[in-house]
């Protein structure tokens, strides 16, 4: 690896790690989105984009134990934002799916967050916005290919 690439890699890591921590703390400092914790919001996002998931799959996506994921999902069931269904092929397996009410709430949440991003993007020169988005998309693809986030 060239010295320049090594230097860029380190600089990129430092900036990206700081961005990730800043974003993560920003989320944890916000107590709730429309009455949901950050983890509950993630559950609704996962279920909305992927469809019904086994509890074990959901726990893996949340990087939680099965009991930890259950503690996150239980209030969502109570609020009728998700429902649990027994797998028809194997009754030992529980699947979780988002309800129509849950879909409405996650769309409202996404809208609010998109407004926050609009505020941030408006401060980036218009000529750089698409490039910034593309770089993040490409990075995510590369990390997912390496299963870094799985």
């Amino acid at each position: 690896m060239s010295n320049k690439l090594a230097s860029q890699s380190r600089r990129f890591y430092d900036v990206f790690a700081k961005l990730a921590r800043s974003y993560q703390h920003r989320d944890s400092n916000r107590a709730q989105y429309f009455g949901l914790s950050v983890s509950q919001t993630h559950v609704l996002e996962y279920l909305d984009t992927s469809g019904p998931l086994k509890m074990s799959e959901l726990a893996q996506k949340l990087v939680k134990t099965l009991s930890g994921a259950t503690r996150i999902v239980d209030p969502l069931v109570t609020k009728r934002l998700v429902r649990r269904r027994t797998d028809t092929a194997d009754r030992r397996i529980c699947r979780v799916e988002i309800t129509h009410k849950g879909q409405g709430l996650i769309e409202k949440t996404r809208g609010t967050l998109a407004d926050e991003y609009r505020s941030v993007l408006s401060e980036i020169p218009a000529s750089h916005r698409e490039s910034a988005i593309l770089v993040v998309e490409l990075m995510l693809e590369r990390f997912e290919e390496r299963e870094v986030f799985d």
Side-chain angles (χ1 to χ4, degrees), residues 52-58 66 73 83-87 90-97:
L53 292 170
K54 296 177 194 175
M55 277 298 295
S56 59
E57 294 168 330
L58 186 56
L66 193 54
V73 168
R83 71 176 66 89
R84 289 187 178 102
R85 298 228 187 248
T86 303
D87 188 283
D90 186 343
R91 296 189 53 80
R92 296 171 296 175
I93 297 174
C94 174
R95 293 190 183 275
V96 182
E97 64 185 15

Side-chain angles (χ1 to χ4, degrees), residues 61-81:
K61 285 185 176 290
L62 293 168
V63 192
K64 301 283 184 188
T65 63
L66 193 54
S67 62
T70 299
R71 284 191 299 275
I72 294 167
V73 168
D74 283 346
L76 296 174
V77 171
T78 301
K79 293 177 182 182
R80 296 188 172 136
L81 299 172

Side-chain angles (χ1 to χ4, degrees), residues 11-138:
R11 226 175 97 219
F12 193 82
Y13 167 79
D14 291 342
V15 168
F16 195 79
K18 188 174 181 180
L19 173 65
R21 283 191 304 274
S22 175
Y23 185 82
Q24 182 180 21
H25 292 301
R26 175 195 138 285
D27 271 356
S28 64
N29 289 336
R30 172 179 290 210
Q32 298 191 339
Y33 294 100
F34 302 107
L36 301 178
S37 69
V38 173
S39 294
Q40 290 170 336
T41 301
H42 291 166
V43 167
L44 293 182
E45 287 178 329
Y46 289 136
L47 295 175
D48 189 48
T49 58
S50 67
L53 292 170
K54 296 177 194 175
M55 277 298 295
S56 59
E57 294 168 330
L58 186 56
Q60 184 179 10
K61 285 185 176 290
L62 293 168
V63 192
K64 301 283 184 188
T65 63
L66 193 54
S67 62
T70 299
R71 284 191 299 275
I72 294 167
V73 168
D74 283 346
L76 296 174
V77 171
T78 301
K79 293 177 182 182
R80 296 188 172 136
L81 299 172
V82 303
R83 71 176 66 89
R84 289 187 178 102
R85 298 228 187 248
T86 303
D87 188 283
T88 54
D90 186 343
R91 296 189 53 80
R92 296 171 296 175
I93 297 174
C94 174
R95 293 190 183 275
V96 182
E97 64 185 15
I98 193 167
T99 64
H100 183 70
K101 182 178 176 183
Q103 287 172 323
L105 187 57
I106 198 59
E107 278 307 310
K108 185 176 179 180
T109 302
R110 284 180 179 133
T112 298
L113 293 171
D115 288 344
E116 288 183 27
Y117 279 87
R118 185 178 305 114
S119 173
V120 170
L121 279 173
S122 71
E123 297 176 21
I124 295 173
S127 60
H128 294 298
R129 290 180 197 151
E130 283 299 324
S131 296
I133 295 166
L134 180 61
V135 165
V136 173
E137 288 172 341
L138 290 170

